[in-house]
Amino acid sequence: EPEVTQTPSHQVTQMGQEVILRCVPISNHLYFYWYRQILGQKVEFLVSFYNNEISEKSEIFDDQFSVERPDGSNFTLKIRSTKLEDSAMYFCASSSQMATEAFFGQGTRLTVV
Amino acid sequence: AQRVTQPEKLLSVFKGAPVELKCNYSYSGSPELFWYVQYSRQRLQLLLRHISRESIKGFTADLNKGETSFHLKKPFAQEEDSAMYYCALKPQGTSGTYKYIFGTGTRLKVLA
């Protein structure tokens, strides 16, 4: 069964450093998403991406964040200068145009120290 | 405001007992409602969506527009049902995109 895969599973970074979280969506899917979950809090929408551009973003997704689909298979989330409060589990998801659900990856735990 | 509320952080039941995980939503239009489950160390998986009115692993959920609720129910809990359950809303008019609004989740523990 096809799956969304995310790498790495855990990333530790120093405050102020740039991080790139990687995702490989399901191959025939057209819509891609990033969500995050701060420990003990709810899963929050960050951004959706379709047709090589951002289709919607939340207020969390400020100028520190960017997304890219560099090669037609990977979908990345970049955080330019990490802050302590960026520590969270980041989930990638994808959906096909005709699907009735989004499929989630297993998440990347980002720890900013 | 669009919001999903799951009032219980933790629900513990004994094996064989009925389960009801509560979900209430606040939305002015006609949303799509979903239940996602996350077993220990696994990814979020779709459990139910209200439009299909299906039963998965013995779970059912009925959308009650009058009470703005979408409670998840199972008549007889099994130990393997222990997991984190998230109720999610997809706003109307977002066909094709899955900007879910999630609740805070309820951890279900089924005791032997």
Side-chain angles (χ1 to χ4, degrees):
Chain A
E1 187 175 329
E3 290 183 336
V4 176
T5 56
Q6 291 184 242
T7 54
S9 56
H10 191 190
Q11 172 100 40
V12 181
T13 188
Q14 288 199 324
M15 191 168 55
Q17 295 296 304
E18 173 183 286
V19 293
I20 297 176
L21 309 183
R22 302 181 193 279
C23 170
V24 178
I26 294 172
S27 63
N28 63 343
H29 284 186
L30 301 175
Y31 294 86
F32 314 110
Y33 315 86
W34 283 101
Y35 286 80
R36 80 169 184 193
Q37 184 178 30
I38 295 171
L39 188 63
Q41 298 185 27
K42 62 181 172 183
V43 177
E44 300 173 291
F45 169 80
L46 291 178
V47 66
S48 60
F49 191 86
Y50 170 70
N51 200 25
N52 286 320
E53 60 184 22
I54 290 173
S55 50
E56 191 167 359
K57 59 184 181 179
S58 72
E59 59 270 17
I60 302 168
F61 194 87
D62 61 21
D63 292 342
Q64 293 284 80
F65 292 88
S66 62
V67 289
E68 197 176 34
R69 191 157 157 79
D71 55 13
S73 63
N74 289 285
F75 179 52
T76 61
L77 174 70
K78 183 192 290 186
I79 309 174
R80 285 189 189 79
S81 179
T82 49
K83 303 187 280 285
L84 294 176
E85 54 264 37
D86 293 327
S87 295
M89 184 74 99
Y90 287 81
F91 294 103
C92 174
S94 69
S95 64
S96 72
Q97 196 161 15
M98 298 304 294
T100 57
E101 66 181 283
F103 292 82
F104 284 81
Q106 76 277 29
T108 292
R109 181 167 296 286
L110 175 66
T111 303
V112 182
V113 297
Chain B
Q2 302 168 356
R3 189 167 54 245
V4 175
T5 302
Q6 293 179 252
E8 302 139 329
K9 282 192 174 179
L10 173 66
L11 183 64
S12 296
V13 300
F14 285 102
K15 178 181 168 183
V19 173
E20 183 178 54
L21 300 171
K22 291 185 167 46
C23 172
N24 288 90
Y25 66 90
S26 173
Y27 183 69
S28 56
S30 294
E32 291 182 53
L33 275 298
F34 302 77
W35 276 99
Y36 273 81
V37 60
Q38 187 175 32
Y39 300 103
S40 178
R41 297 191 182 88
Q42 295 187 29
R43 66 192 67 214
L44 282 162
Q45 304 171 42
L46 179 68
L47 181 63
L48 282 179
R49 47 186 180 263
H50 89 270
I51 57 172
S52 59
R53 300 184 64 81
E54 59 200 339
S55 172
I56 303 292
K57 299 185 180 183
F59 285 98
T60 58
D62 289 318
L63 179 61
N64 186 323
K65 290 187 179 180
E67 294 182 359
T68 59
S69 69
F70 188 57
H71 302 328
L72 183 68
K73 299 177 185 178
K74 185 169 182 177
F76 307 104
Q78 304 297 315
E79 288 182 74
E80 55 266 30
D81 296 328
S82 295
M84 195 75 176
Y85 290 81
Y86 293 95
C87 183
L89 175 157
K90 184 164 88 76
Q92 188 180 30
T94 55
S95 173
T97 70
Y98 284 82
K99 178 196 170 187
Y100 287 120
I101 298 166
F102 281 92
T104 48
T106 297
R107 181 167 299 284
L108 175 65
K109 282 190 177 179
V110 181
L111 309 170

